[in-house]
Amino acid sequence: MDRITMSLGDVGADMLAEAGGKAVNLGVMLAAGLPVPDGFCLTTAAYRQVATAAGLEWLLAAMESATKETVRPPGEQGRARGDAATAASLQHLARQARDRLSAAPLPERIERELRRAYALLGEDVPVAVRSSATAEDLPEASFAGQQDTFLNVVGADALLEAVRGCWVSLWTERATAYREANGIGQRKVHLAVVVQRMVDAAVSGVMFTANPLTGARGQTVVDASPGLGEAVVSGAVNPDQFVVDTATGRILERTVGDKRVQVRPLPGGGTEQLPLAGGSDPSLTDEQVRELAELGRAAQELFGAPQDLEWTLSPAGRIALVQTRPITTLYPLPEADESTRAYLCASLLQGLTRPLTPMGLCAFETLAAAWKPAGGGSGPPPAFRYLSVGLRLFVDITPVLRSPGGRRLIPRMMKGADARSVGVLEHLMKDPRFAVARRRVPRSPAGLFRSVPQLALVPSVLHALFRPAAALRRSRAAEREFDARLRLPEPATAAQRLDFVERMFSREVTESLLRLLPPPAAGYLWLGAARWLLGTLVERGEVQEVLRGLPHNVTTEMDLKLWDAATAIGRDPASAAAIRSADPEELARAYLEGTLPAEAQRRLAAFLAVYGHRAVAEIDIGVPRWAEDPSHIINVIANYLRLDDSGQAPDRQFARAAAQADAKVADLVLRAEALGPVRSRLVAYGLRRARASAGMREYPKFRLVTALAALRAQLRKVGEELAAAGAVADAADVFFLDLAEARVGLRGADLHGIVAGRRRTYAREMRRRHIPRLILSDGTDVEAALAAAAATTTAGGRVPPGTLVGAPASAGTVTGTARVILDPAGARLEPGEILVAPSTDPGWTPLFLTAGALVMEMGGPVSHGAVVAREYGIPAVVGVPDATLRIATGDTITVDGAAGTIVHSARTASS
């Protein structure tokens, strides 16, 4: 017979299913000798008995059928599939579950066991009654605050009522929604209840053994306020806060809160909130803070991960730990290193906030290995070293920060690529941990070329500067050679396909793409030369207007081709009606089956024949291409069909942008006549060359994505063989392996467990909103640390209230309605709305065609979104911190692309 109660001291680490996460953690701390109040656990067996008697099983089955997957497989854009109807159904079923649990009779055995265990604590002893779910206080999901806790419960009858309250709280709307969002099945969760002796708390609070704002693992943050901890946990007070260097116990920061209220226990049970005089004195002494930090460090070492603890301090000065859970919001640590190192997020620089699949990471790691010097470790190290952190690509920039040349170069590079990173890098350059290192032996020219292979392009770029037509012919020849190398002779075995993929990534792809770079590089060099020659005759950013409406931009050409397809579909009544009325996913299935209306089928097929290898997040080989799932493209066409203002037609916008650029070129050339005939001719030539070839900037990436699509098809065939052999469940599982693991699977290994674990990690990272652009080896998010420091000072009135500041990217001023979009798949952007996004890659650009302006959290003036925005002639501001959080859909905002500002004209009622 299942146990109904057990002492907390008897709860072990392997009893999650019986005691729930909170009880397990308390039991582990008790066994380790940490100061935890004694008590007992009412096991999940009691809850299951009552739930069964209440008839919850059919409700849970209904919930399971109503709930859809939170995260789709890679390539289906990772979009949440639950909709408003599903959420409403889930809430209705949860309400029925609460009602049934509230009304269910308590079995005699459970009541008897509860009263007996309570009596062992003492007659009418005050206790805290805490929910302890089986999916709670876990490394993947903390469930903090999702289920209820009842403080100062006095008497057995009150205890029985509090226990039922805990059971009912398992089915609150917030708890069911949290499980749905985290992909945790509603039928898999059960609830135990922890009953602990109440501590007469003079001071209480919470403690984080890693800094939750900055991610720094070496800092402990303690929040404290008089009375019970409910005041701190609920946010009812501004508590005292202490930031402690965990290793030394030194208090780094001390902030005294106002502490205007406290929660105190009532004599007969329950609590009350009382006013508190507050004052300037902290509620803890320095010694008590250090004692707490030491207990926190012990808990962290015990569980092997940073902890979020709740604690109390008695009037006699004794500390008790009343619960602990992992801190689940911290970004994963980079690789361990004795020295402090700095890592820049390369994924963000590519406009990618979502994680990469394991095979996608493997592809980039193999590509990065191609940069390493021949002969392994015998040559000088590469200038940049890549690694995966949180399923995203990061680059170790420590050597660059410690190099005089690197310090001069990297801020200039980042001004164009990601303006927000510049201030962060400049801050690190002042950090003594990244002081310039004395170079013992200067590198030889040959060594420099081996460590920075891109320098081998210099002769080709110089050739392209002065013989552009010949350079273009070379690029086209390289492209044809590349296409030939991408074809694997058939028939081929799965092992041969893996060999082919690895060979292409380790050598062929990099070499081929480098040969495509000289023409666009020469175009930007000519632009810079013209800017230098013009000198004071131009204002800052004015020359960038020359880059509007550029020819030879493959992404712009793609968007215009899609507009042409939408225009043709709109002229066909049957096709237009289908696209406007049906769900994009249903239409995508119809297209793949060949059953769309004829004109829509033909136009979509023609577009995908050229651009079907592209996708949102297309640099991840694990993401299916538009040819495999065209729902995103169909949704964009539906958006285009809603456009009724001919002046906003994308082809007209592009033509206007090109005309404006030509006019700007003529204007600048006219001004240059004041410089003399030679310099004016050079300016004219430079600007013409820039317009002729800078648009090819997108082409190397376009060709990379072409290669990824071809190699993805090979890997998909490997996945089909693995699935047929039973090594994995589905062919798409191959993208949750790396190349070596796929080879092992071909030899008969069972890979189901590996894939399942990788999919869970991927799903968790898909839900992560904030990605650090620059992280230290101790986990510090440098930008967040700077923001936290800046929050303690005023802006000195320099920035007016309601104004957001970023980097200017495309000139112009537009006032309009904001539309915050986190994922372009399935997104709807009305003509003229201002697109507010975390970042963008080519998969987003069809939305630009109807956007009035663009605001991005990431990026710089030459990042992808900025370039395309300029080409379409729409104002853009990039590098705006937390733009998607500080701007709400429906807000009226004014975007000034020249000043780099966003001003709120009006807020929505909900915001």
Side-chain angles (χ1 to χ4, degrees), residues 4-5 40-42 106-125 127 154-161 163 195:
I4 298 299
T5 64
F40 64 91
C41 173
L42 179 70
L106 194 65
E108 180 183 350
R109 181 188 172 212
I110 293 175
E111 181 176 345
R112 184 175 66 251
E113 286 291 312
L114 261 175
R115 290 181 180 275
R116 181 192 63 79
Y118 177 62
L120 291 175
L121 293 178
E123 184 177 354
D124 288 344
V125 62
V127 292
V154 178
D157 291 342
L159 173 61
L160 296 176
E161 184 179 346
V163 165
V195 181

Side-chain angles (χ1 to χ4, degrees), residues 357-367 494-506 621 711-712 714-716 718 722 733-747 751 758:
T357 58
M359 188 62 79
L361 288 167
C362 177
F364 273 97
E365 288 165 0
T366 310
L367 280 170
Q496 288 172 331
R497 297 186 197 281
L498 290 176
D499 290 341
F500 175 72
V501 170
E502 186 166 12
R503 183 175 68 254
M504 292 299 298
F505 279 132
S506 61
I621 199 171
L711 299 177
R712 172 183 166 80
Q714 298 294 340
L715 289 171
R716 179 78 189 195
V718 174
L722 289 172
D733 287 347
V734 71
F735 299 108
F736 286 87
L737 305 170
D738 60 28
L739 291 171
E741 290 164 344
R743 294 183 192 280
V744 173
L746 291 176
R747 294 196 291 267
L751 303 175
R758 299 265 176 82

